Amino acid sequence: MPEQLTGAEALIRSLEHEGVEVVFGMPGGAILPAYDPLLDSSIRHVLARHEQGAGHMASGYAHATGRVGVALVTSGPAATNLLTALQDAYMDSVPLVAITGQVATTAIGNDAFQEAHTWGMSMPATKHNELITSADQIPDIIREAFHLASTGRKGPVLVDIPKDALAETMTWHRPGEVRLPGYRPAVKGHPRQVKAAVDLIERAERPVLYVGGGVIAAGATEELEQFAEMLNVPMVTTLMARGAFPDSNPLNLGMPGMHGTYAATTAMQRSDLLITIGARFDDRITGNPKHFAPEAKVIHVDVDPAEIGKIRPVDVPVVGDAKSVLHQLIVETERRGPQPDRDEWLATVHEWQSAHPLSYVQDPDGPIQQQYVIEELHRITGGDATIVAGVGQHQMWASQFWGFDEPRRWINSGGLGTMGYAIPAAIGAKAGTPDEVVFAIDGDGCFQMTGTELITAAVENIPIKIAVMNNQSLGMVKQWQNLFYDGRLSQTELSPTVPDFVKFAEACGCVGLRADRPDEVAGVIEQALAINDRPVLIEFTCDPEAMVFPMVPAGGSNDDVILSREDLA
Amino acid sequence: MNHVIAVIVENKPGVLARVSSMFARRGFNIHSLTVGPTEDPAMSRMTVVVDGPEMEQIIKQLYKLVHTVKVTEFEPGTAIEREIMLVRVNADPKRRGEILDAARVWEARAVDVGVATITFEVTGAPERLADFLQLMNTYGVVSLAKSGRIALPRDQKSAKKHLKSA
């Protein structure tokens, strides 16, 4: 006999069928029916303190596990709170499914209580979205949402479900095949394009592998390693690709661009061929695109055809998934036999590397430098931790100074630059990978945006660790005011005493620790690592005057890398 | 320069909003946009006239919408393009005959006649409508309503046959 379920029961069952193990959310009026069958489900619910937090938790979960993250919230203000997390995930191609409650179909358009036009507002912030109008549609639309979120160029998908559709009864059916005649994401690259790419690589004298987050999204890091070793060419890994290739491998020059290493930025700039894989010529990489890599031909491999040629004209476009195309490139390169000798080019970039390494000075009697904290953290953990950053100076230093050797252990908000990302994303990452040490590296400005999610971490027993780099300022913005607004500091200095981060952590049910001097850094890190039954926050009182270098000012040419404060004099 | 593109989309609620929102978000200018049914009830046809150099990006961004099935850009002269226009002109009784004569040459139908105006309906290629409008401007256009463009590619077979017989 066909089984009769409510829309809400069908929703929870559909999520179970997708293999969902955890959802991040908060109940409310319109989504109430869905929270009842959740009580009887195997799915864990993590109760966030704000819907933006729930969205970033789902994102952190997706980054850490490679699976689809799920957020479940109500209508109106909950949906608008969630929007930031959706746009963030859209910019960074993070697979999410967001389920929002909606007022009853009979009330839609009437300015009902907690009504917002979620479908319209989320349209430009998602890969796709749907408004359900009856319970029957739920199994197929949830299947479609997971399919869209996790295939092609991954991204967030929102499903808006009115309360009456959740409450009414439907006949349960397993979803059929997803039928989307207009959605056919490319997987394999065109063989002719692959050949043309290898032709260009063979002829290039100064090739650079320009690797973006697409490589991690496609699970293509092993293929990348094989291809890079085969070609023996230098590589740059963008902010979203840190960990796609081991930093310990001498071919990896690190992050290029605005705060990239001199060697990475300059290698691209002098290159005659950029072998671009899953990267998108973001303005933080290219600086002024008119002056970017002027002699370089471009191979561009991307699963999203719209990225190819969007910013930089391309010589060989290859539309396809990074894993499949890298495999094709490996096979074709193997077939051609020995590759040209790249030793001279590698020697040149390594000279740049040794002439202009990333550097900082930790005065033993001076204030704590954030780079020192990051290096100590790496030393003490042996690098075996997942690092989740907020946005700003601490994020850049974490990307620069943490030696990443594995994918999915670096989680941050790249494209949207969402301050406040770290704490909730770390909670999501830890929920997905409970056996890993998950360390949020946050700024004091970022922390104050979403710090109340510490309560979630404590109450839900998700023992993350948090390093708050307290420089008593919105450090990156202050840096720009110092460099480009004659040092006129406008609204970038935060209180040196409020909040008391240690007390804040304790009030939220976490352990609070503090280090004020460099010689206290190692000790508090060790203390924090020894506590695993509760979240631990360490406040590091950091140098408020420190700036991130190297730097290419926004819109500037990547020929003009500012290496240090002395360069500015 | 204006480019004409046909966009076949799934006939689903909100698809027009998805397309127009994408154009707005990406900063692409729409000259005109029409949407209507096709021979397949599951699909709708949009004909979009856009002004801009970024055709490749526009087409790729259209394809990125999940409900877009097919996008075709028409090279100039390869499509049958039509618009419809209603134009109300000043028609002083003394000049009525002259105006109606002119309209007859253009195969414009008088669809409403008032005390001091005549309203014409004209259908045809966009250039023809533009020329007629220019002519009517000499009498004084009181109001104007114009559809967006619709277009279908020319049938290559019939075009060849036509050339042979000519």
Side-chain angles (χ1 to χ4, degrees), chain A residues 369-384:
Chain A
Q369 300 301 322
Q370 298 188 28
Q371 301 97 313
Y372 176 68
V373 175
I374 292 157
E375 288 201 322
E376 281 295 276
L377 199 53
H378 191 274
R379 180 181 66 76
I380 295 166
T381 58
D384 187 14

PDB file of all heavy atoms in Angstrom, chain A residues 369-384:
ATOM      1  N   GLN A 369      53.729  38.702  17.316  1.00  0.00           N
ATOM      2  CA  GLN A 369      53.429  38.783  15.888  1.00  0.00           C
ATOM      3  C   GLN A 369      52.537  37.596  15.511  1.00  0.00           C
ATOM      4  O   GLN A 369      52.798  36.463  15.950  1.00  0.00           O
ATOM      5  CB  GLN A 369      54.717  38.752  15.057  1.00  0.00           C
ATOM      6  CG  GLN A 369      55.692  39.891  15.352  1.00  0.00           C
ATOM      7  CD  GLN A 369      55.090  41.272  15.124  1.00  0.00           C
ATOM      8  OE1 GLN A 369      54.325  41.473  14.186  1.00  0.00           O
ATOM      9  NE2 GLN A 369      55.433  42.221  15.997  1.00  0.00           N
ATOM     10  N   GLN A 370      51.538  37.861  14.706  1.00  0.00           N
ATOM     11  CA  GLN A 370      50.594  36.791  14.355  1.00  0.00           C
ATOM     12  C   GLN A 370      51.284  35.651  13.612  1.00  0.00           C
ATOM     13  O   GLN A 370      50.939  34.485  13.775  1.00  0.00           O
ATOM     14  CB  GLN A 370      49.439  37.359  13.519  1.00  0.00           C
ATOM     15  CG  GLN A 370      48.640  38.409  14.280  1.00  0.00           C
ATOM     16  CD  GLN A 370      47.384  38.843  13.549  1.00  0.00           C
ATOM     17  OE1 GLN A 370      46.806  38.092  12.773  1.00  0.00           O
ATOM     18  NE2 GLN A 370      46.941  40.060  13.803  1.00  0.00           N
ATOM     19  N   GLN A 371      52.274  36.032  12.777  1.00  0.00           N
ATOM     20  CA  GLN A 371      52.997  34.991  12.037  1.00  0.00           C
ATOM     21  C   GLN A 371      53.674  34.009  12.986  1.00  0.00           C
ATOM     22  O   GLN A 371      53.756  32.813  12.718  1.00  0.00           O
ATOM     23  CB  GLN A 371      54.072  35.624  11.127  1.00  0.00           C
ATOM     24  CG  GLN A 371      53.538  36.604  10.103  1.00  0.00           C
ATOM     25  CD  GLN A 371      53.648  38.044  10.576  1.00  0.00           C
ATOM     26  OE1 GLN A 371      53.292  38.382  11.700  1.00  0.00           O
ATOM     27  NE2 GLN A 371      54.141  38.917   9.703  1.00  0.00           N
ATOM     28  N   TYR A 372      54.177  34.550  14.098  1.00  0.00           N
ATOM     29  CA  TYR A 372      54.847  33.707  15.089  1.00  0.00           C
ATOM     30  C   TYR A 372      53.854  32.718  15.700  1.00  0.00           C
ATOM     31  O   TYR A 372      54.163  31.527  15.858  1.00  0.00           O
ATOM     32  CB  TYR A 372      55.480  34.603  16.166  1.00  0.00           C
ATOM     33  CG  TYR A 372      56.113  33.840  17.304  1.00  0.00           C
ATOM     34  CD1 TYR A 372      57.263  33.066  17.086  1.00  0.00           C
ATOM     35  CD2 TYR A 372      55.572  33.885  18.592  1.00  0.00           C
ATOM     36  CE1 TYR A 372      57.840  32.358  18.129  1.00  0.00           C
ATOM     37  CE2 TYR A 372      56.146  33.182  19.631  1.00  0.00           C
ATOM     38  CZ  TYR A 372      57.281  32.407  19.404  1.00  0.00           C
ATOM     39  OH  TYR A 372      57.843  31.713  20.433  1.00  0.00           O
ATOM     40  N   VAL A 373      52.659  33.203  16.009  1.00  0.00           N
ATOM     41  CA  VAL A 373      51.637  32.317  16.580  1.00  0.00           C
ATOM     42  C   VAL A 373      51.337  31.181  15.608  1.00  0.00           C
ATOM     43  O   VAL A 373      51.269  30.004  15.982  1.00  0.00           O
ATOM     44  CB  VAL A 373      50.338  33.102  16.893  1.00  0.00           C
ATOM     45  CG1 VAL A 373      49.238  32.157  17.370  1.00  0.00           C
ATOM     46  CG2 VAL A 373      50.599  34.194  17.919  1.00  0.00           C
ATOM     47  N   ILE A 374      51.187  31.554  14.320  1.00  0.00           N
ATOM     48  CA  ILE A 374      50.839  30.546  13.312  1.00  0.00           C
ATOM     49  C   ILE A 374      51.969  29.519  13.182  1.00  0.00           C
ATOM     50  O   ILE A 374      51.723  28.307  13.131  1.00  0.00           O
ATOM     51  CB  ILE A 374      50.522  31.233  11.965  1.00  0.00           C
ATOM     52  CG1 ILE A 374      49.216  32.033  12.111  1.00  0.00           C
ATOM     53  CG2 ILE A 374      50.416  30.229  10.836  1.00  0.00           C
ATOM     54  CD1 ILE A 374      49.063  33.155  11.114  1.00  0.00           C
ATOM     55  N   GLU A 375      53.195  29.993  13.182  1.00  0.00           N
ATOM     56  CA  GLU A 375      54.327  29.058  13.057  1.00  0.00           C
ATOM     57  C   GLU A 375      54.449  28.162  14.291  1.00  0.00           C
ATOM     58  O   GLU A 375      54.751  26.971  14.171  1.00  0.00           O
ATOM     59  CB  GLU A 375      55.626  29.828  12.809  1.00  0.00           C
ATOM     60  CG  GLU A 375      55.660  30.399  11.396  1.00  0.00           C
ATOM     61  CD  GLU A 375      57.072  30.718  10.923  1.00  0.00           C
ATOM     62  OE1 GLU A 375      57.888  31.188  11.747  1.00  0.00           O
ATOM     63  OE2 GLU A 375      57.350  30.491   9.734  1.00  0.00           O
ATOM     64  N   GLU A 376      54.213  28.738  15.465  1.00  0.00           N
ATOM     65  CA  GLU A 376      54.269  27.928  16.685  1.00  0.00           C
ATOM     66  C   GLU A 376      53.157  26.878  16.687  1.00  0.00           C
ATOM     67  O   GLU A 376      53.377  25.722  17.051  1.00  0.00           O
ATOM     68  CB  GLU A 376      54.134  28.831  17.922  1.00  0.00           C
ATOM     69  CG  GLU A 376      55.419  29.552  18.281  1.00  0.00           C
ATOM     70  CD  GLU A 376      56.522  28.590  18.714  1.00  0.00           C
ATOM     71  OE1 GLU A 376      56.567  28.189  19.889  1.00  0.00           O
ATOM     72  OE2 GLU A 376      57.345  28.203  17.834  1.00  0.00           O
ATOM     73  N   LEU A 377      51.987  27.296  16.245  1.00  0.00           N
ATOM     74  CA  LEU A 377      50.847  26.387  16.162  1.00  0.00           C
ATOM     75  C   LEU A 377      51.173  25.224  15.217  1.00  0.00           C
ATOM     76  O   LEU A 377      50.884  24.055  15.514  1.00  0.00           O
ATOM     77  CB  LEU A 377      49.642  27.179  15.646  1.00  0.00           C
ATOM     78  CG  LEU A 377      48.248  26.635  15.850  1.00  0.00           C
ATOM     79  CD1 LEU A 377      47.998  26.302  17.308  1.00  0.00           C
ATOM     80  CD2 LEU A 377      47.221  27.683  15.380  1.00  0.00           C
ATOM     81  N   HIS A 378      51.806  25.551  14.118  1.00  0.00           N
ATOM     82  CA  HIS A 378      52.169  24.526  13.141  1.00  0.00           C
ATOM     83  C   HIS A 378      53.211  23.584  13.735  1.00  0.00           C
ATOM     84  O   HIS A 378      53.123  22.358  13.606  1.00  0.00           O
ATOM     85  CB  HIS A 378      52.693  25.186  11.867  1.00  0.00           C
ATOM     86  CG  HIS A 378      52.839  24.230  10.713  1.00  0.00           C
ATOM     87  ND1 HIS A 378      53.959  23.463  10.513  1.00  0.00           N
ATOM     88  CD2 HIS A 378      51.994  23.905   9.701  1.00  0.00           C
ATOM     89  CE1 HIS A 378      53.802  22.715   9.430  1.00  0.00           C
ATOM     90  NE2 HIS A 378      52.601  22.970   8.917  1.00  0.00           N
ATOM     91  N   ARG A 379      54.184  24.182  14.412  1.00  0.00           N
ATOM     92  CA  ARG A 379      55.264  23.372  15.000  1.00  0.00           C
ATOM     93  C   ARG A 379      54.684  22.410  16.050  1.00  0.00           C
ATOM     94  O   ARG A 379      54.960  21.212  16.036  1.00  0.00           O
ATOM     95  CB  ARG A 379      56.300  24.310  15.642  1.00  0.00           C
ATOM     96  CG  ARG A 379      57.485  23.592  16.281  1.00  0.00           C
ATOM     97  CD  ARG A 379      58.467  24.566  16.921  1.00  0.00           C
ATOM     98  NE  ARG A 379      57.937  25.299  18.071  1.00  0.00           N
ATOM     99  CZ  ARG A 379      57.777  24.785  19.299  1.00  0.00           C
ATOM    100  NH1 ARG A 379      58.119  23.531  19.543  1.00  0.00           N
ATOM    101  NH2 ARG A 379      57.278  25.521  20.281  1.00  0.00           N
ATOM    102  N   ILE A 380      53.838  22.946  16.923  1.00  0.00           N
ATOM    103  CA  ILE A 380      53.362  22.137  18.058  1.00  0.00           C
ATOM    104  C   ILE A 380      52.371  21.059  17.601  1.00  0.00           C
ATOM    105  O   ILE A 380      52.373  19.949  18.116  1.00  0.00           O
ATOM    106  CB  ILE A 380      52.764  23.056  19.146  1.00  0.00           C
ATOM    107  CG1 ILE A 380      53.882  23.940  19.718  1.00  0.00           C
ATOM    108  CG2 ILE A 380      52.086  22.254  20.254  1.00  0.00           C
ATOM    109  CD1 ILE A 380      53.411  25.113  20.553  1.00  0.00           C
ATOM    110  N   THR A 381      51.535  21.376  16.615  1.00  0.00           N
ATOM    111  CA  THR A 381      50.582  20.366  16.110  1.00  0.00           C
ATOM    112  C   THR A 381      51.224  19.467  15.069  1.00  0.00           C
ATOM    113  O   THR A 381      50.588  18.522  14.596  1.00  0.00           O
ATOM    114  CB  THR A 381      49.359  21.031  15.436  1.00  0.00           C
ATOM    115  OG1 THR A 381      49.835  21.864  14.367  1.00  0.00           O
ATOM    116  CG2 THR A 381      48.550  21.865  16.407  1.00  0.00           C
ATOM    117  N   GLY A 382      52.439  19.775  14.662  1.00  0.00           N
ATOM    118  CA  GLY A 382      53.053  19.039  13.565  1.00  0.00           C
ATOM    119  C   GLY A 382      52.298  19.272  12.260  1.00  0.00           C
ATOM    120  O   GLY A 382      52.390  18.482  11.325  1.00  0.00           O
ATOM    121  N   GLY A 383      51.554  20.344  12.211  1.00  0.00           N
ATOM    122  CA  GLY A 383      50.794  20.664  10.994  1.00  0.00           C
ATOM    123  C   GLY A 383      49.526  19.831  10.866  1.00  0.00           C
ATOM    124  O   GLY A 383      48.783  19.970   9.895  1.00  0.00           O
ATOM    125  N   ASP A 384      49.277  18.951  11.850  1.00  0.00           N
ATOM    126  CA  ASP A 384      48.126  18.054  11.743  1.00  0.00           C
ATOM    127  C   ASP A 384      46.889  18.714  12.354  1.00  0.00           C
ATOM    128  O   ASP A 384      46.432  18.350  13.431  1.00  0.00           O
ATOM    129  CB  ASP A 384      48.455  16.735  12.445  1.00  0.00           C
ATOM    130  CG  ASP A 384      47.369  15.688  12.215  1.00  0.00           C
ATOM    131  OD1 ASP A 384      46.518  15.900  11.320  1.00  0.00           O
ATOM    132  OD2 ASP A 384      47.359  14.678  12.936  1.00  0.00           O
TER     133      ASP A 384
END
